[in-house]
Amino acid sequence: YKYITSSKWGEIKANSALLACKYIQLIPENKRNHIDIDAVVKQIIKLLNHKNIRVRTRVAKALSYLAKV
C-alpha cells in the first residue's frame, strides 16, 4: 500500500536511467567519443542509494546494459 501512495519520481528517474543506458549501448562505437558517458554513469550510480528497492533494481539493470560498452 505504501508503495502505491508514494511519489513516483524515483521510478521515473529509474526508467530514465534504463533509457539512457540503452541508448548509450546502441550508439555505434565510433560515435561514443562524442558523449561524456562517465558523467551519465556517475549520475546513474547515485540512484543505487535510493530508498526504494524497485528503483535500485532498475538502476542496476540499467548499468548492466553498459557492461560491454
Side-chain angles (χ1 to χ4, degrees):
Y1 175 75
K2 183 178 178 183
Y3 173 74
I4 294 171
T5 60
S6 66
S7 173
K8 300 294 183 196
W9 284 110
E11 285 201 42
I12 291 170
K13 290 178 184 180
N15 287 336
S16 297
L18 280 168
L19 184 63
C21 288
K22 196 61 176 173
Y23 280 151
I24 290 171
Q25 181 188 38
L26 295 174
I27 295 172
E29 193 171 334
N30 62 342
K31 303 286 184 181
R32 287 189 196 137
N33 59 352
H34 299 289
I35 298 172
D36 189 0
I37 295 173
D38 290 337
V40 174
V41 171
K42 285 179 185 177
Q43 293 301 314
I44 292 171
I45 287 174
K46 288 181 182 179
L47 288 173
L48 288 172
N49 294 321
H50 198 277
K51 63 182 178 180
N52 187 320
I53 187 73
R54 290 181 69 168
V55 172
R56 293 192 310 262
T57 302
R58 285 184 181 163
V59 170
K61 181 178 182 179
L63 290 171
S64 75
Y65 292 151
L66 302 179
K68 295 181 180 178
V69 173

